Amino acid sequence: QVQLQESGPGLVKPSETLSLTCAVSGASISYSYWSWIRQPPGKGLEWIGHISYSGSTNYNPSLKSRVTISVDTSKNQFSLKLSSVTAADTAVYYCARAPHPTVNFDFWGQGTLVTVSS
Amino acid sequence: DIQMTQSPSSLSASVGDRVTITCRASQGISNSLAWYQQKPGKAPKVLLFAASRLESGVPSRFSGSGSGTDYTLTVSSLQPEDFATYYCQQYYSALYTFGQGTKLELK
C-alpha cells in the first residue's frame, strides 16, 4: 500500500518561503507523478504542480512564478517550495500520486495545515 | 485552462435517496474525469475514474456517466457514510482542475 506523509512548518510569516516535504513509502518515487494540491479553509481543491520520476516538472500557471517542486530519490521523497507567501496561501497542503500524467490521483497524504501569519 | 463547473453546490437528502451531481467542463475532456469524496479533516478519496469506472473497494451504489463536456455522479441509495463533499477533477489537460465541490448534507 502506498503511503504519503507531509511534513513541514505549520506557521510561515508573510513574504517568506513555505517549505514542505512528502515522504513516500510502499512505492518507489522513481516511478509515477507526484503532485502538490492545496485547499484553503472551507474552500475547494487547487492543483499546484507535479514532478515526474525523471525530475520534469509542470506547474499551475497561477503559481508558477513562486513554486519549485523537487525530488530526492535517495530519500524517496519530494518537496514543495512556495515563495513570497501571503495570507491567501493559508491552506491544507496535500501531496498525491498519479501513476501517469493522464490518470487520476490514486493515493493522497493526510494533509498538513500551513498558516501564513506574522 | 479547463474550467470545471459542478452543480449543485450543496444538496440535502435523506438516507435511501437517489442523488445526482453534475460536472460540466469548459471543453471536451474525453472521459478523463475522476470523482472524489472528501470527509471533514480527511484527504479526498477517489470513487470513480475515466468517468464511469469504479475504484476498487468503492460500493456499487456509486456510478458515473457522461461524455464530452457533461458528466454525472449518481448515488443510488444514500447511506449514512455518504454524507460528505464530492469533487470532480479533469486530467485531460496537464493543468489539472477540480470542480468547486458539492456538499451533500443530511436532510
Side-chain angles (χ1 to χ4, degrees):
Chain A
Q1 179 78 338
V2 179
Q3 294 186 326
L4 296 89
Q5 178 68 58
E6 305 89 349
S7 62
L11 181 64
V12 180
K13 290 182 168 56
S15 80
E16 295 189 345
T17 297
L18 178 159
S19 296
L20 296 174
T21 296
C22 180
V24 179
S25 58
S28 171
I29 204 160
S30 296
Y31 300 94
S32 303
Y33 285 71
W34 305 93
S35 281
W36 288 98
I37 297 159
R38 70 180 183 178
Q39 184 173 37
K43 296 188 178 180
L45 299 159
E46 179 182 35
W47 178 73
I48 298 169
H50 72 204
I51 190 164
S52 75
Y53 55 88
S54 65
S56 65
T57 55
N58 190 24
Y59 300 134
N60 188 324
S62 69
L63 298 167
K64 187 173 183 177
S65 63
R66 299 194 291 131
V67 173
T68 302
I69 297 176
S70 59
V71 65
D72 185 339
T73 54
S74 67
K75 295 183 178 179
N76 218 46
Q77 63 187 33
F78 63 108
S79 299
L80 168 71
K81 290 189 185 298
L82 181 66
S83 64
S84 304
V85 297
T86 69
D89 295 310
T90 294
V92 174
Y93 285 77
Y94 295 100
C95 53
R97 184 191 86 156
H100 187 272
T102 58
V103 301
N104 58 284
F105 304 113
D106 56 358
F107 291 99
W108 296 63
Q110 64 185 25
T112 187
L113 174 63
V114 179
T115 301
V116 178
S117 175
S118 55
Chain B
D1 52 333
I2 299 175
Q3 305 298 320
M4 305 300 293
T5 303
Q6 258 182 263
S7 61
S9 56
S10 64
L11 179 58
S12 294
S14 302
V15 173
D17 283 355
R18 178 186 179 91
V19 297
T20 297
I21 297 169
T22 297
C23 188
R24 173 167 288 175
S26 59
Q27 67 182 72
I29 57 171
S30 298
N31 289 4
S32 298
L33 184 98
W35 289 98
Y36 299 87
Q37 177 192 67
Q38 187 179 34
K39 295 184 177 179
K42 299 294 186 182
K45 168 192 165 185
V46 61
L47 300 175
L48 297 115
F49 60 96
S52 61
R53 296 184 63 182
L54 205 62
E55 179 74 3
S56 176
V58 174
S60 59
R61 61 181 180 272
F62 291 93
S63 63
S65 65
S67 64
T69 60
D70 295 330
Y71 299 87
T72 59
L73 168 69
T74 297
V75 188
S76 60
S77 178
L78 280 171
Q79 298 302 299
E81 61 269 28
D82 299 337
F83 292 93
T85 301
Y86 293 83
Y87 293 94
C88 61
Q89 178 234 336
Q90 66 79 21
Y91 46 86
Y92 178 79
S93 160
L95 172 48
Y96 309 117
T97 46
F98 294 86
Q100 75 272 29
T102 295
K103 187 172 184 179
L104 180 54
E105 298 175 304
L106 182 61
K107 185 184 291 182

